[in-house]
């Protein structure tokens, strides 16, 4: 046996300690620097207010067709860059345990949204949700829905179902970490979807919806998850379902900062 001194890294994450202030924190600064260097991002790179301009509409026709276009796109390691960021974003971020250790009295809150028929090829809608804890996002998802929604209400209803399922999982995880939260509030900006969740009546406009999506009704009725109305401009998950303007993007960032101060 030999003494290796204090731990310096774990899973590529640097462990920082401030003995004077009796604090410990984790950072992935070195990993992110390597990612930026790998994909040619430096101090001369011009920043943009949003990842994509709102007027862009991408579909299968945007894919390279000629050999020259394919060769050009092959030099753009987009998939690798996204994968590297996803690793830093999901695989090694101990956000939940950090938020719990903060003991700031803030509860886990969710936001859900959808983009009706946003996929120009198959006309499927996009589900997006994000959950915050301790003033920062700890769980989020943006994915095409498995079936085609026939209305905005139906798309929002399906998104709410996925968000409620995630809320139940987070509630159990927090319980394992010693944080007991009676219920988790999930905010939705579509009043019709909320009404459908709370109204058990079946009619011609909803009878075609898959049974699995009606699971949300039982959960809401039990009180484990609360589905509440929120204004679209204050819905953090809006940026996960569609391209938003720079103004909306900055507004969402300000909302997150406000949550951290609460």
């Amino acid at each position: 046996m030999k003494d290796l001194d204090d731990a310096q890294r774990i899973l590529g994450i640097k462990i920082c300690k401030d003995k004077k202030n009796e604090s410990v924190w984790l950072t992935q600064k070195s990993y992110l620097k390597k990612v930026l260097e790998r994909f040619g991002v430096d101090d001369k790179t011009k920043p943009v207010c949003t990842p994509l301009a709102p007027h862009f509409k991408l579909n299968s026709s945007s894919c390279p067709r000629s050999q020259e276009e394919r060769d050009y796109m092959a030099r753009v390691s987009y998939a690798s860059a996204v994968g590297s960021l996803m690793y830093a974003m999901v695989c090694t971020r101990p956000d939940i345990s950090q938020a719990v250790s903060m003991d700031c009295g803030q509860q886990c809150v969710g936001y859900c949204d959808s983009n009706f028929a946003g996929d120009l090829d198959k006309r499927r809608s996009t589900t997006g949700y994000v959950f915050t804890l301790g003033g920062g996002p700890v769980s989020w998802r943006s994915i095409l829905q498995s079936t085609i929604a026939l209305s905005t209400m139906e798309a929002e209803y399906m998104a709410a179902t996925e968000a409620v399922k995630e809320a139940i999982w987070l509630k159990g995880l927090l319980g394992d970490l010693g944080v007991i939260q009676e219920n988790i509030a999930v905010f939705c900006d579509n009043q019709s979807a909320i009404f459908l969740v709370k109204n058990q009546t079946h009619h011609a406009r909803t009878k075609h919806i898959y049974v699995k999506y009606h699971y949300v009704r039982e959960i809401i009725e039990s009180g484990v998850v609360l589905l509440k109305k929120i204004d679209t401009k204050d819905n953090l998950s809006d940026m996960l379902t569609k391209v938003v303007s720079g103004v909306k993007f900055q507004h969402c960032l300000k909302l997150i900062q406000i949550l951290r101060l609460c």
Side-chain angles (χ1 to χ4, degrees):
M1 296 179 62
K2 60 181 180 180
D3 186 2
L4 299 178
D5 296 328
D6 294 337
Q8 301 294 325
R9 293 182 180 274
I10 177 171
L11 297 176
I13 308 175
K14 185 178 180 181
I15 304 174
C16 302
K17 298 181 180 180
D18 186 347
K19 295 183 178 179
K20 182 178 180 180
N21 296 319
E22 298 183 348
S23 60
V24 179
W25 69 94
L26 306 177
T27 176
Q28 297 184 82
K29 186 176 181 179
S30 59
Y31 170 77
L32 293 174
K33 277 188 174 181
K34 291 179 181 179
V35 172
L36 295 176
E37 293 174 357
R38 177 184 174 187
F39 297 104
V41 180
D42 52 29
D43 296 336
K44 298 180 180 179
T45 303
K46 296 181 180 180
V48 293
C49 58
T50 60
L52 191 66
H55 65 275
F56 276 107
K57 301 293 182 182
L58 302 178
N59 54 30
S60 58
S61 63
S62 305
C63 296
R65 297 184 177 183
S66 64
Q67 187 60 44
E68 182 180 358
E69 291 178 343
R70 295 190 184 95
D71 293 339
Y72 174 77
M73 291 300 297
R75 297 195 299 269
V76 181
S77 304
Y78 177 78
S80 298
V82 172
S84 299
L85 293 176
M86 288 289 290
Y87 176 81
M89 181 178 68
V90 178
C91 298
T92 60
R93 295 187 321 116
D95 285 3
I96 293 181
S97 59
Q98 287 187 33
V100 170
S101 63
M102 289 170 63
D103 192 23
C104 56
Q106 294 180 339
Q107 294 188 329
C108 182
V109 178
Y111 304 83
C112 66
D113 191 27
S114 72
N115 181 22
F116 177 60
D119 179 17
L120 300 182
D121 294 317
K122 297 183 178 180
R123 308 307 296 181
R124 292 185 179 182
S125 304
T126 302
T127 286
Y129 63 73
V130 58
F131 286 83
T132 63
L133 178 64
V138 294
S139 177
W140 58 87
R141 193 181 192 191
S142 178
I143 189 173
L144 282 177
Q145 295 178 355
S146 58
T147 58
I148 298 176
L150 302 182
S151 65
T152 302
M153 179 275 295
E154 184 178 337
E156 295 279 358
Y157 185 77
M158 294 162 64
T161 301
E162 296 300 323
V164 166
K165 289 163 58 179
E166 183 70 7
I168 294 175
W169 179 80
L170 286 173
K171 186 175 184 298
L173 177 60
L174 290 173
D176 292 339
L177 295 174
V179 178
I180 306 301
Q181 186 169 331
E182 184 178 354
N183 47 53
I184 294 180
V186 176
F187 291 94
C188 175
D189 58 17
N190 188 280
Q191 189 67 57
S192 298
I194 297 176
F195 180 78
L196 179 61
V197 169
K198 298 181 179 181
N199 182 11
Q200 303 291 335
T201 303
H202 291 269
H203 47 76
R205 294 185 179 181
T206 61
K207 65 181 182 180
H208 64 281
I209 299 178
Y210 281 3
V211 175
K212 69 176 183 178
Y213 293 113
H214 293 307
Y215 164 78
V216 64
R217 293 178 169 180
E218 180 179 342
I219 300 302
I220 297 301
E221 187 177 7
S222 68
V224 175
V225 179
L226 305 178
L227 191 62
K228 299 182 178 181
K229 179 70 171 65
I230 191 173
D231 196 285
T232 301
K233 67 181 180 64
D234 297 326
N235 193 344
L236 298 181
S237 60
D238 194 30
M239 68 177 73
L240 297 177
T241 60
K242 60 185 72 70
V243 180
V244 297
S245 64
V247 176
K248 175 61 183 290
F249 194 78
Q250 293 300 322
H251 178 66
C252 290
L253 293 179
K254 289 181 181 179
L255 289 177
I256 293 178
Q257 292 176 354
I258 292 173
L259 288 173
R260 290 177 177 174
L261 295 176
C262 292

